[in-house]
Amino acid sequence: MATQQTRTLGKLAVSPSVLMLLMWMLVPLSMTIYFSFLRYNLLDPNPICSLLTPGALLDAENRCLAGFSNYSYFLTDPAFFKAMGNSLKLVGWVLAISVASGTLLALLLDQAFYGRGFVRIMMIAPFLVMPTVSALVWQNMLMDPVSGFFAFISKSFGLQPIDWFTYHPLASVIIMVAWQWVPFATLILLTSLQSLDEEQKEAAEMDGTPPLSYFWYIVLPHLIRPMTVVILIETIFLLNVFAEIYVTGTAGPAGNLPFLVYQYGLIANDIGGASAGGIIAVILANIVAFFLMRMIGKNLEA
Amino acid sequence: MARNASIRRKLVVTAFAWTVGLVIFFPILWTVLTSFKTEGDAINIASFFSTGWTTEAYSVVQSRSNYVQFAMNSVILALGSTFFALVIAIPSAWAMAFAPGKRTKDLLMWMLSTKMMPPVGALIPIYLIFRDFGLLDTRGGIITVLMLLNLPIIIWMLYTYFKEIPGEILEASRMDGASLGKELLYVLTPMAIPGIASTLLLNIILAWNEAFWTLALTTKDAAPLTQFIASYSSPEGLFWAKLSAASTMAIAPILVLGWFAQKQLVRGLTFGAVK
Amino acid sequence: MGTISLKNARKAFGDVVIIPGASLDIRNGEFVVFVGPSGCGKSTLLRMIAGLEDLTSGAILIDGKDMTEAAPSKRGLSMVFQSYALYPHMSVRGNISFGLKMAGMPKAEIEAKVAKAAATLNLTEYLDRKPRQLSGGQRQRVAIGRAIVRNPEGFLFDEPLSNLDAALRVNMRLEIMQMHKDLGATMIYVTHDQVEAMTMADRIVVLNRGNIEQVGSPLELYNRPDSLFVAGFIGSPKMNLISGKPAEKFDAHTIGIRPEHLGISLKDGTWSAKISLAEHLGADTFLHVDAGPCGMMTVRAAGEYDAAPGAKIFLTPEPDRIHRFDKDGRAIRK
């Protein structure tokens, strides 16, 4: 409902952000695709590659074309399957933990009690903590098997302390990341709970609805929509968890897809291989995104 | 009777909620407490509360690794990227909220989907482009990246907030002869202040804590607090008092900001997605 | 000065036609009311005149000049919105003066104009308040003040009273009419309330599904409705519409007779009827009756008519007050 003039102005107004995002997406993506077909190692000066494989096709900068070899190399690397599995486990577990405990915590915070505002800010705080900080604090001061706080607790109960990062590296990363994302789920679900119609609550009370049925038939359906929002937003961030793995040095056992690509590229300097990995990560993320977008798309209509 | 019962219930809930809250808050609390211990006391939990307190760790951290410069970089990166993103996002969100076309919803979806693209897909080219243009470890370069990174979320949030503003008010300003620039500056922006504040706050937090690009693209000159902390991963990580002092200094600004702007924070953290 | 003409103005969104093509000439200083049920396109038509909607085709002339493509602020018109659309972050003073500031008027002149408008509208003591600190009626006045200060050729009102309670609405109605008399400016007023239309308008434009059904003075519409739609829409309570056998006796497909034009008798009359419900309003009594082949009808009886539900009465229409319509719903005139 607007005039042609405003619509034209509107197009002008969105164009800067559209153009910038388009460039931000297309330029690196097309370069990555191109690199993924090159034998391109920063430590391997280009001419040598052409000397070693005479007759290899070269691009303008004398880099050898590699065909799909980077892809087949990356896809057959056992580390790839490990990393993909870790990525999925990390996303899946953190989502499950944060939605489940987020719901419970939101129900708790929705009750009347003394110091609600203060407790709420305490619960939000983990979300404000820099990932590198939370990684270091958890790894050293909490989960350290010798003098960490958890070890102290175990010992004071006469139990054997768990060596978290040695024996359960992925679980450790999951716990740490979940700690950061539970507050987010709690907050969104709490906001939504508070918008639940007061009259509905009273009507249910008048009907003598038992608390569990009330939760199941009234509260839960109301929370479905915010839950999809939580899942969408958390997935975006969780697929790309990096700092926690980078800092804790759990690359081998708990490394996910982003970290593997980082290892290929900036540690092994294999630009071709890293690019192939990046493209594979993009494809996988898009498969996930496809389903998520359909979900949030329905939400947007409502 | 009923009143007593409800008070008793409230007390039980209070005790339970505080316990849960403290458990969740514990790692932060513990970090802050540890930062005021000597290295020796820090690893000895059994006698943790019976020994003295000191700010020694802070002076060591400060003298060894120039905290102020890292903090300055964090502030500049967070504020800079947020400011430029808002300048670009406000007109876009205005257009999508008040002059929508048939494609507006698809456009919003597409913008959000750019967030779905894993940064690793772009890491190598961006790294090379930055290297070739001398942008590695520069504030301008990182500000651009952080701005682009959060632009979709900012546009999305502003869009949801703008949608709540009645279009008639903007039409009234058009009848009053305001140009688009004036309509945005004098009417829409002041009306949307709460929403913009929440967006701003969330974006500052996201930019402050961003730890993929800042770790990959900075080393020293433009390095923010994420790098400052990462440098403690080893072997200084073994010195818990210093680690805690550094951590406290890295997270304190955001925690304090969040504390004072609780209302905006709560609104912002829901990404404008839930009302 | 202040004439507004629509030349076959058409509005369509793709295949959906909102206004198939409206032509209308509004004279300078006239008070014209657009009336019709919701969704009839009256607000769209007003917004097209304001420049807030484009025309798909056709033209709009203001003061004889083609303004079809002109920006809203260049048309010399002011608008009062249904929601008032006050700037919530500005004081009353800021709201009223915003348009003048945008026009780059010198400060002193703005001050004087705002003071004058505020005095006329009894807003002087509220000038520094924010809209949310005002009552509904006061907000309404601010919206009008904002429209007045710009000294427009014409005023556009989009259902301005629909958010006020009944008592206040009557007051504001009188004030707007007084303002029209004082300013002598052209006014176009949109409403769905036919009582508002009848009491305020010099001329009423009845809209139905985007078409102008009839244009005329209130009494013209009341006495000589061109169509069944106008007949049914204008007048309260509604005109009784009767089709079938009883209508054929009058050589019409449908006949209409207003409740106030039916004579009541206990002995004899044209139609017999049974009272099913009586509404006692004091000055009048409205009887809802079941008139057999004529269907349900409403009849006005003067004063306190003592009627028991189920009682039998006879009704006789005033012969020269019977409206006849053909099967397309158009009026049949002799």
Side-chain angles (χ1 to χ4, degrees), chain C residues 24 32-36 45 203-207 212 214-216 221:
Chain C
L24 181 68
V32 173
V33 175
F34 292 175
V35 72
L45 198 57
R203 272 200 303 165
I204 296 178
V205 176
V206 183
L207 285 139
I212 294 182
Q214 191 172 359
V215 182
L221 297 191

Side-chain angles (χ1 to χ4, degrees), chain B residues 11-244:
Chain B
L11 285 173
V12 170
V13 174
T14 304
F16 186 61
W18 274 83
T19 312
V20 174
L22 281 170
V23 166
I24 291 176
F25 188 67
F26 180 77
I28 298 171
L29 184 68
W30 191 245
T31 307
V32 176
L33 290 177
T34 308
S35 72
F36 292 105
K37 307 298 295 189
T38 63
E39 291 298 349
D41 294 342
I43 51 167
N44 203 347
I45 299 173
S47 63
F48 193 87
F49 288 99
S50 53
T51 52
W53 305 89
T54 169
T55 54
E56 189 190 302
Y58 285 92
S59 13
V60 174
V61 167
Q62 174 57 22
S63 66
R64 211 176 42 188
S65 57
N66 199 0
Y67 167 79
V68 176
Q69 197 206 325
F70 287 104
M72 264 314 275
N73 280 332
S74 273
V75 170
I76 290 170
L77 298 185
L79 292 184
S81 66
T82 305
F83 173 78
F84 288 114
L86 274 182
V87 168
I88 297 169
I90 288 179
S92 299
W94 165 82
M96 292 198 260
F98 298 110
K102 282 186 209 112
R103 316 250 72 188
T104 295
K105 277 205 173 132
D106 297 335
L107 198 63
L108 260 176
M109 283 306 196
W110 171 75
M111 286 186 171
L112 205 62
S113 75
T114 63
K115 281 295 297 176
M116 280 293 185
M117 176 149 131
V120 287
L123 174 65
I124 305 297
I126 296 289
Y127 183 82
L128 294 176
I129 292 172
F130 267 49
R131 190 192 62 183
D132 295 348
F133 285 85
L135 290 169
L136 278 179
D137 208 17
T138 61
R139 287 168 182 168
I142 305 291
I143 285 179
T144 313
V145 168
L146 292 180
M147 180 197 83
L148 288 167
L149 211 57
N150 291 330
L151 194 58
I153 287 186
I154 296 197
I155 292 178
W156 176 278
M157 283 181 70
L158 288 178
Y159 169 80
T160 19
Y161 293 133
F162 286 179
K163 282 292 260 190
E164 289 170 28
I165 291 173
E168 278 196 346
I169 297 182
L170 300 188
E171 286 176 350
S173 80
R174 247 167 266 166
M175 294 291 293
D176 270 345
S179 61
L180 175 60
K182 286 177 175 163
E183 179 180 324
L184 292 182
L185 195 61
Y186 295 129
V187 182
L188 181 62
T189 306
M191 279 176 68
I193 285 287
I196 291 176
S198 303
T199 312
L200 194 110
L201 195 67
L202 179 74
N203 197 57
I204 288 176
I205 293 170
L206 290 178
W208 186 273
N209 292 339
E210 202 290 319
F212 177 79
W213 294 102
T214 52
L215 289 180
L217 299 178
T218 66
T219 45
K220 190 169 140 280
D221 293 343
L225 289 166
T226 44
Q227 273 288 7
F228 170 74
I229 289 302
S231 71
Y232 276 80
S233 56
S234 64
E236 288 95 330
L238 303 175
F239 298 101
W240 292 3
K242 286 189 233 18
L243 169 65
S244 298

Side-chain angles (χ1 to χ4, degrees), chain C residues 33-329:
Chain C
V33 175
F34 292 175
V35 72
S38 60
C40 70
K42 54 192 189 301
S43 281
T44 308
L45 198 57
L46 190 77
R47 291 165 54 84
M48 284 158 72
I49 296 172
L52 296 171
E53 296 285 349
D54 306 317
L55 276 65
T56 309
S57 64
I60 289 176
L61 277 63
I62 297 172
D63 256 356
K65 286 192 292 274
D66 188 343
M67 288 286 185
T68 317
E69 303 285 337
S73 58
K74 302 279 182 275
R75 300 187 178 202
L77 301 173
S78 284
M79 182 144 166
V80 177
F81 291 87
Q82 180 170 13
S83 64
Y84 317 142
L86 301 180
Y87 310 123
H89 56 291
M90 294 184 200
S91 63
V92 170
R93 187 192 309 279
N95 266 284
I96 296 178
S97 62
F98 187 73
L100 305 178
K101 264 187 213 147
M102 291 297 114
M105 190 179 275
K107 262 200 168 158
E109 209 173 322
I110 295 181
E111 287 283 317
K113 288 210 166 204
V114 171
K116 189 170 161 241
T120 350
L121 292 162
N122 289 325
L123 286 170
T124 309
E125 52 185 308
Y126 304 109
L127 274 176
D128 294 312
R129 292 211 193 161
K130 293 276 171 68
R132 65 170 177 279
Q133 298 166 302
L134 302 177
S135 69
Q138 288 164 339
R139 287 181 203 182
Q140 175 72 73
R141 270 179 236 271
V142 177
I144 292 174
R146 185 168 68 180
I148 290 180
V149 279
R150 295 181 52 223
N151 218 356
E153 304 277 354
F155 289 86
L156 310 175
F157 294 91
D158 189 3
E159 308 217 19
L161 305 184
S162 55
N163 289 333
L164 298 178
D165 63 49
L168 206 52
R169 205 178 302 165
V170 175
N171 267 337
M172 284 307 297
R173 204 151 81 191
L174 293 175
E175 275 185 48
I176 291 175
M177 286 159 78
Q178 187 61 47
M179 186 176 105
H180 176 240
K181 212 177 273 172
D182 295 344
L183 296 173
T186 311
M187 292 188 178
I188 305 179
Y189 187 105
V190 163
T191 180
H192 62 268
D193 180 353
Q194 62 93 20
V195 177
E196 245 170 47
M198 294 293 280
T199 48
M200 298 175 86
D202 290 330
R203 272 200 303 165
I204 296 178
V205 176
V206 183
L207 285 139
N208 180 27
R209 292 196 200 134
N211 288 305
I212 294 182
E213 285 273 333
Q214 191 172 359
V215 182
S217 73
L219 284 181
E220 270 167 27
L221 297 191
Y222 177 82
N223 289 326
R224 293 174 63 82
D226 277 345
S227 65
L228 258 180
F229 179 82
V230 177
F233 196 77
I234 298 289
S236 173
K238 273 187 190 317
M239 181 187 280
N240 298 300
L241 298 172
I242 304 155
S243 22
K245 279 257 166 60
E248 277 163 25
K249 283 187 193 149
F250 293 88
D251 293 329
H253 183 266
T254 306
I255 56 167
I257 181 78
R258 295 194 186 277
E260 52 270 40
H261 300 147
L262 281 165
I264 304 173
S265 161
L266 291 176
K267 293 199 278 305
D268 55 0
T270 315
W271 302 310
S272 73
K274 203 169 76 184
I275 298 175
S276 54
L277 189 76
E279 287 179 281
H280 298 282
L281 302 181
D284 295 309
T285 304
F286 291 116
L287 305 173
H288 297 271
V289 302
D290 182 355
C294 300
M296 292 299 295
M297 288 171 79
T298 311
V299 190
R300 193 191 77 165
E304 294 165 34
Y305 187 87
D306 193 13
K312 203 172 165 194
I313 55 171
F314 292 93
L315 303 172
T316 309
E318 290 175 34
D320 53 345
R321 293 287 199 171
I322 296 172
H323 305 273
R324 300 184 305 138
F325 301 95
D326 63 22
K327 66 176 189 306
D328 298 322

